[in-house]
Amino acid sequence: MKTCKASPLENGTGCVVRSSSERMESRAGCVLKGSSERMENAAKRRLAANARERRRMQGLNTAFDRLRKVVPQWGQDKKLSKYETLQMALSYIMALTRILAEAERFSSEREWLSLHCEHFHGDSYHHYPAQKPAADSDPYAHRVFGYHPEHFQIAN
DNA sequence: TAGGCCATCTGGTCCT
DNA sequence: AGGACCAGATGGCCTA
């Protein structure tokens, strides 16, 4: 469809598109015969639309870059693809949600314990597994987060 | 060299 | 009418 050669429509990046211009020419032949001004206007509008689309996609890519920065990327020297970034963000959000829920549950349990049991086991709650800090952040994060690239296929 | 990823162009559709 | 959004097509680049 796109042949990148021999077209009146330059895209600004050196690549030119053939099929659309052929369509435009045929349209010009039957509807806009002799109206080179209208053809020019159509071409201008097409170029403007291309530029808008380029800007839109650049904005989208900027958003992907920002997302990559806040999403974990353990030991990946290569940047995540767009699809991987979305899957990672999904897993990350779900893991954080789970952590939050566990923290809330833990704090309410601790209140209950301190209310009823503090005279018997004053500091027993210090041994709650959920409170245990991660000495080694990566293995802990891996355990909590549980991200594996192969999960992408499952999620799909 | 095949396959994955990406950028770009393009026409269609929806919205303002 | 014009802009935003979307999906399909295509070619370029990179890597195994």
Side-chain angles (χ1 to χ4, degrees), chain A residues 60-79:
Chain A
L60 194 61
N61 290 333
T62 301
F64 266 107
D65 286 337
R66 292 174 65 188
L67 191 56
R68 280 188 192 101
K69 283 198 176 95
V70 299
V71 140
Q73 205 175 350
W74 298 295
Q76 292 248 13
D77 49 343
K78 209 179 79 174
K79 81 170 187 181

Side-chain angles (χ1 to χ4, degrees), chain A residues 75-116:
Chain A
Q76 292 248 13
D77 49 343
K78 209 179 79 174
K79 81 170 187 181
L80 295 174
S81 71
K82 292 177 179 178
Y83 178 74
E84 288 169 339
T85 302
L86 289 179
Q87 294 295 329
M88 178 64 90
L90 177 63
S91 301
Y92 191 39
I93 290 169
M94 289 174 73
L96 293 178
T97 302
R98 199 173 64 233
I99 289 170
L100 210 53
E102 284 179 6
E104 282 176 8
R105 185 167 56 84
F106 168 69
S107 66
S108 63
E109 282 180 10
R110 189 175 58 178
E111 281 170 15
W112 188 89
L113 282 174
S114 63
L115 193 64
H116 291 86

Side-chain angles (χ1 to χ4, degrees), chain A residues 13 27 34 96 103 108 126 135 142 151:
Chain A
T13 63
R27 248 184 258 163
L96 293 178
S108 63
H126 288 305
H142 270 291
H151 290 172

